[in-house]
């Protein structure tokens, strides 16, 4: 009886075929991944060395494996390698950033950014070989022009972007996450439909020889985790 009820309830599901491992192997694998990701840093210096589009395709495909509300997968990734498009994005971004730094950002903001050595100038937007514009799909357009909702789109696209950054780092690429505000110009420049809004720019390429990064650290595990046993 229980078996038949379970089958009726879960029609459409298939057996899980993912990786299974024992505790010892799991600890080793998780520590290895921790070591890899501990080396990830935001990169702002990129050489002109091109990135094989096959790498980018695999990394975006990895991002597409992220969980999403009701499996709606409310994301779209625009891969930008055209030099003129990158220059346009840089010009508009710097215009926005310059106004922000001069008219909006206060002393606290400036003090918080000092350790990161960043300002309104964004040369990486034109120098990096690849920009990936991440778009959030607010709703789906269905036949006849109707709309179907997406669920938890911000959370879902955030998860997918995390998958993307991790995959790019695993492939030996440096990354920088960038969110100009406002960034609606990306929808115009990249001719995206009205049901999408720009979520983030992921700048990526090989780190330049001698690339410098801020001397900062991460919070200790005890500060970010509570074990409720």
């Amino acid at each position: 009886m229980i078996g038949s009820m379970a089958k009726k309830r879960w029609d459409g599901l298939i057996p899980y075929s993912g990786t299974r491992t024992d505790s010892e192997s799991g600890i080793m694998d998780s520590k290895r991944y921790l070591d890899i990701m501990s080396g990830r840093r935001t990169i702002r210096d990129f050489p002109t060395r091109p990135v094989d589009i096959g790498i980018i395709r695999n990394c975006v495909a990895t991002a597409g494996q992220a969980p999403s509300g009701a499996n709606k997968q409310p994301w779209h990734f625009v891969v930008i390698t055209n030099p003129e498009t990158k220059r346009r994005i840089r010009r508009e971004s710097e215009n926005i950033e310059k106004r922000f730094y001069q008219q909006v950002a206060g002393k606290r903001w400036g003090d918080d950014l000092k350790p990161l050595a960043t300002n309104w100038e964004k040369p990486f937007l034109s120098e990096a070989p690849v920009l990936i514009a991440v778009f959030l799909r607010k709703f789906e357009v269905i036949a006849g022009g109707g709309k179907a909702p997406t669920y938890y789109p911000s959370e879902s696209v955030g998860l997918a972007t995390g998958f993307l950054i991790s995959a790019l780092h695993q492939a030996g690429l440096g990354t920088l996450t960038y969110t100009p505000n406002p960034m609606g110009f990306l929808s115009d420049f990249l001719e995206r439909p009205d049901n999408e809004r720009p979520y983030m720019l992921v700048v990526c390429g090989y780190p330049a020889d001698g690339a410098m990064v801020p001397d900062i650290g991460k919070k200790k595990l005890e500060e970010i985790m509570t074990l409720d046993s």
Side-chain angles (χ1 to χ4, degrees), residues 22-60:
D22 56 55
S23 293
E24 183 176 353
S25 297
I27 290 172
M28 292 176 60
D29 290 344
S30 60
K31 180 60 169 63
R32 188 178 301 114
Y33 185 71
L34 170 60
D35 291 341
I36 291 171
M37 295 308 295
S38 293
R40 191 214 64 80
R41 298 298 300 276
T42 293
I43 300 295
R44 289 181 170 83
D45 300 313
F46 297 92
T48 56
R49 178 184 173 186
V51 175
D52 192 306
I53 194 63
I55 297 173
I56 302 300
R57 289 176 64 89
N58 286 338
C59 292
V60 173

Side-chain angles (χ1 to χ4, degrees), residues 110-118 213-216:
D111 290 344
D112 286 342
L113 289 182
K114 275 183 181 178
L116 305 180
T118 183
V213 296
D215 184 15
I216 56 176

Side-chain angles (χ1 to χ4, degrees), residues 11-127:
D11 275 349
L13 299 188
I14 59 175
Y16 174 68
S17 60
T19 302
R20 288 181 171 86
T21 187
D22 56 55
S23 293
E24 183 176 353
S25 297
I27 290 172
M28 292 176 60
D29 290 344
S30 60
K31 180 60 169 63
R32 188 178 301 114
Y33 185 71
L34 170 60
D35 291 341
I36 291 171
M37 295 308 295
S38 293
R40 191 214 64 80
R41 298 298 300 276
T42 293
I43 300 295
R44 289 181 170 83
D45 300 313
F46 297 92
T48 56
R49 178 184 173 186
V51 175
D52 192 306
I53 194 63
I55 297 173
I56 302 300
R57 289 176 64 89
N58 286 338
C59 292
V60 173
T62 298
Q65 306 309 305
S68 61
N71 196 37
K72 292 296 184 179
Q73 306 168 58
W75 46 64
H76 190 85
F77 302 88
V78 179
V79 177
I80 305 157
T81 59
N82 182 283
E84 179 54 33
T85 305
K86 290 190 293 181
R87 282 191 290 268
R88 289 183 68 200
I89 290 173
R90 176 182 175 181
R91 283 195 297 267
E92 186 61 26
S93 295
E94 289 186 332
N95 288 337
I96 291 170
E97 294 284 357
K98 194 170 186 177
R99 288 195 297 270
F100 175 80
Y101 274 84
Q102 292 177 347
Q103 303 173 18
V104 180
K107 183 178 183 304
R108 178 63 180 272
W109 181 271
D111 290 344
D112 286 342
L113 289 182
K114 275 183 181 178
L116 305 180
T118 183
N119 56 33
W120 63 267
E121 296 177 290
K122 308 299 176 186
F124 48 78
L125 291 175
S126 58
E127 293 172 354

Side-chain angles (χ1 to χ4, degrees), residues 147-179:
K147 299 179 180 180
T150 57
Y151 305 100
Y152 303 104
S154 293
E155 294 85 347
S156 300
V157 177
L159 288 165
T161 304
F163 274 42
L164 174 64
I165 294 168
S166 176
L168 292 167
H169 180 69
Q170 290 267 16
L173 298 177
T175 58
L176 179 145
T177 55
Y178 179 55
T179 52

Side-chain angles (χ1 to χ4, degrees), residues 1-9:
M1 181 65 166
I2 293 176
S4 62
M5 288 178 62
K7 184 178 186 304
K8 182 178 180 181
R9 183 180 177 187

